[in-house]
PDB file of all heavy atoms in Angstrom:
ATOM      1  N   LYS A 231      -1.214  -5.533  15.678  1.00 96.00           N
ATOM      2  CA  LYS A 231       0.191  -5.656  16.082  1.00 96.00           C
ATOM      3  C   LYS A 231       0.345  -6.255  17.473  1.00 96.00           C
ATOM      4  O   LYS A 231       1.453  -6.641  17.857  1.00 96.00           O
ATOM      5  CB  LYS A 231       0.882  -4.300  16.010  1.00 96.00           C
ATOM      6  CG  LYS A 231       0.348  -3.244  16.956  1.00 96.00           C
ATOM      7  CD  LYS A 231       1.074  -1.925  16.757  1.00 96.00           C
ATOM      8  CE  LYS A 231       0.545  -0.855  17.707  1.00 96.00           C
ATOM      9  NZ  LYS A 231       1.247   0.445  17.507  1.00 96.00           N
ATOM     10  N   ASP A 232      -0.747  -6.365  18.243  1.00 96.00           N
ATOM     11  CA  ASP A 232      -0.693  -6.987  19.562  1.00 96.00           C
ATOM     12  C   ASP A 232      -1.135  -8.446  19.529  1.00 96.00           C
ATOM     13  O   ASP A 232      -1.368  -9.054  20.591  1.00 96.00           O
ATOM     14  CB  ASP A 232      -1.560  -6.204  20.551  1.00 96.00           C
ATOM     15  CG  ASP A 232      -1.030  -4.803  20.802  1.00 96.00           C
ATOM     16  OD1 ASP A 232       0.205  -4.636  20.823  1.00 96.00           O
ATOM     17  OD2 ASP A 232      -1.842  -3.870  20.964  1.00 96.00           O
ATOM     18  N   ASP A 233      -1.231  -9.029  18.345  1.00 97.00           N
ATOM     19  CA  ASP A 233      -1.556 -10.455  18.212  1.00 97.00           C
ATOM     20  C   ASP A 233      -0.580 -11.258  19.077  1.00 97.00           C
ATOM     21  O   ASP A 233       0.636 -11.129  18.932  1.00 97.00           O
ATOM     22  CB  ASP A 233      -1.432 -10.865  16.738  1.00 97.00           C
ATOM     23  CG  ASP A 233      -1.893 -12.291  16.471  1.00 97.00           C
ATOM     24  OD1 ASP A 233      -1.546 -13.198  17.254  1.00 97.00           O
ATOM     25  OD2 ASP A 233      -2.576 -12.505  15.454  1.00 97.00           O
ATOM     26  N   PRO A 234      -1.062 -12.085  19.997  1.00 97.00           N
ATOM     27  CA  PRO A 234      -0.168 -12.796  20.919  1.00 97.00           C
ATOM     28  C   PRO A 234       0.769 -13.798  20.249  1.00 97.00           C
ATOM     29  O   PRO A 234       1.722 -14.269  20.890  1.00 97.00           O
ATOM     30  CB  PRO A 234      -1.137 -13.498  21.880  1.00 97.00           C
ATOM     31  CG  PRO A 234      -2.419 -13.610  21.126  1.00 97.00           C
ATOM     32  CD  PRO A 234      -2.482 -12.374  20.273  1.00 97.00           C
ATOM     33  N   ARG A 235       0.530 -14.112  18.990  1.00 97.00           N
ATOM     34  CA  ARG A 235       1.422 -15.028  18.278  1.00 97.00           C
ATOM     35  C   ARG A 235       2.629 -14.314  17.688  1.00 97.00           C
ATOM     36  O   ARG A 235       3.634 -14.954  17.358  1.00 97.00           O
ATOM     37  CB  ARG A 235       0.644 -15.735  17.158  1.00 97.00           C
ATOM     38  CG  ARG A 235      -0.528 -16.583  17.630  1.00 97.00           C
ATOM     39  CD  ARG A 235      -1.416 -17.015  16.479  1.00 97.00           C
ATOM     40  NE  ARG A 235      -2.059 -15.865  15.847  1.00 97.00           N
ATOM     41  CZ  ARG A 235      -2.828 -15.943  14.760  1.00 97.00           C
ATOM     42  NH1 ARG A 235      -3.032 -17.122  14.174  1.00 97.00           N
ATOM     43  NH2 ARG A 235      -3.387 -14.858  14.256  1.00 97.00           N
ATOM     44  N   LEU A 236       2.559 -12.999  17.532  1.00 98.00           N
ATOM     45  CA  LEU A 236       3.633 -12.263  16.858  1.00 98.00           C
ATOM     46  C   LEU A 236       4.956 -12.250  17.626  1.00 98.00           C
ATOM     47  O   LEU A 236       6.020 -12.334  16.994  1.00 98.00           O
ATOM     48  CB  LEU A 236       3.177 -10.836  16.553  1.00 98.00           C
ATOM     49  CG  LEU A 236       2.140 -10.691  15.439  1.00 98.00           C
ATOM     50  CD1 LEU A 236       1.732  -9.219  15.290  1.00 98.00           C
ATOM     51  CD2 LEU A 236       2.675 -11.216  14.111  1.00 98.00           C
ATOM     52  N   PRO A 237       4.971 -12.124  18.952  1.00 98.00           N
ATOM     53  CA  PRO A 237       6.266 -12.141  19.638  1.00 98.00           C
ATOM     54  C   PRO A 237       7.082 -13.395  19.355  1.00 98.00           C
ATOM     55  O   PRO A 237       8.298 -13.324  19.131  1.00 98.00           O
ATOM     56  CB  PRO A 237       5.874 -12.045  21.120  1.00 98.00           C
ATOM     57  CG  PRO A 237       4.577 -11.311  21.120  1.00 98.00           C
ATOM     58  CD  PRO A 237       3.867 -11.820  19.899  1.00 98.00           C
ATOM     59  N   GLY A 238       6.418 -14.555  19.339  1.00 98.00           N
ATOM     60  CA  GLY A 238       7.127 -15.795  19.035  1.00 98.00           C
ATOM     61  C   GLY A 238       7.628 -15.835  17.610  1.00 98.00           C
ATOM     62  O   GLY A 238       8.730 -16.340  17.342  1.00 98.00           O
ATOM     63  N   PHE A 239       6.830 -15.308  16.687  1.00 98.00           N
ATOM     64  CA  PHE A 239       7.252 -15.300  15.282  1.00 98.00           C
ATOM     65  C   PHE A 239       8.490 -14.429  15.089  1.00 98.00           C
ATOM     66  O   PHE A 239       9.445 -14.828  14.439  1.00 98.00           O
ATOM     67  CB  PHE A 239       6.116 -14.800  14.383  1.00 98.00           C
ATOM     68  CG  PHE A 239       6.470 -14.831  12.918  1.00 98.00           C
ATOM     69  CD1 PHE A 239       6.252 -15.969  12.169  1.00 98.00           C
ATOM     70  CD2 PHE A 239       7.042 -13.732  12.291  1.00 98.00           C
ATOM     71  CE1 PHE A 239       6.594 -16.024  10.822  1.00 98.00           C
ATOM     72  CE2 PHE A 239       7.389 -13.771  10.956  1.00 98.00           C
ATOM     73  CZ  PHE A 239       7.165 -14.919  10.220  1.00 98.00           C
ATOM     74  N   VAL A 240       8.477 -13.230  15.664  1.00 98.00           N
ATOM     75  CA  VAL A 240       9.617 -12.324  15.503  1.00 98.00           C
ATOM     76  C   VAL A 240      10.853 -12.900  16.189  1.00 98.00           C
ATOM     77  O   VAL A 240      11.967 -12.834  15.646  1.00 98.00           O
ATOM     78  CB  VAL A 240       9.281 -10.926  16.043  1.00 98.00           C
ATOM     79  CG1 VAL A 240      10.521 -10.034  16.058  1.00 98.00           C
ATOM     80  CG2 VAL A 240       8.181 -10.285  15.195  1.00 98.00           C
ATOM     81  N   ARG A 241      10.686 -13.507  17.353  1.00 98.00           N
ATOM     82  CA  ARG A 241      11.828 -14.113  18.037  1.00 98.00           C
ATOM     83  C   ARG A 241      12.377 -15.277  17.214  1.00 98.00           C
ATOM     84  O   ARG A 241      13.596 -15.452  17.104  1.00 98.00           O
ATOM     85  CB  ARG A 241      11.413 -14.586  19.430  1.00 98.00           C
ATOM     86  CG  ARG A 241      12.560 -15.158  20.260  1.00 98.00           C
ATOM     87  CD  ARG A 241      12.177 -15.243  21.729  1.00 98.00           C
ATOM     88  NE  ARG A 241      11.040 -16.121  21.959  1.00 98.00           N
ATOM     89  CZ  ARG A 241      11.145 -17.441  22.188  1.00 98.00           C
ATOM     90  NH1 ARG A 241      12.341 -18.016  22.204  1.00 98.00           N
ATOM     91  NH2 ARG A 241      10.065 -18.156  22.406  1.00 98.00           N
ATOM     92  N   CYS A 242      11.496 -16.072  16.630  1.00 98.00           N
ATOM     93  CA  CYS A 242      11.905 -17.161  15.745  1.00 98.00           C
ATOM     94  C   CYS A 242      12.722 -16.617  14.571  1.00 98.00           C
ATOM     95  O   CYS A 242      13.771 -17.165  14.221  1.00 98.00           O
ATOM     96  CB  CYS A 242      10.674 -17.910  15.246  1.00 98.00           C
ATOM     97  SG  CYS A 242      10.952 -19.044  13.878  1.00 98.00           S
TER      98      CYS A 242
END
Side-chain angles (χ1 to χ4, degrees):
K231 64 182 180 180
D232 295 324
D233 186 316
R235 299 168 295 176
L236 288 177
F239 183 88
V240 172
R241 184 164 62 89
C242 167

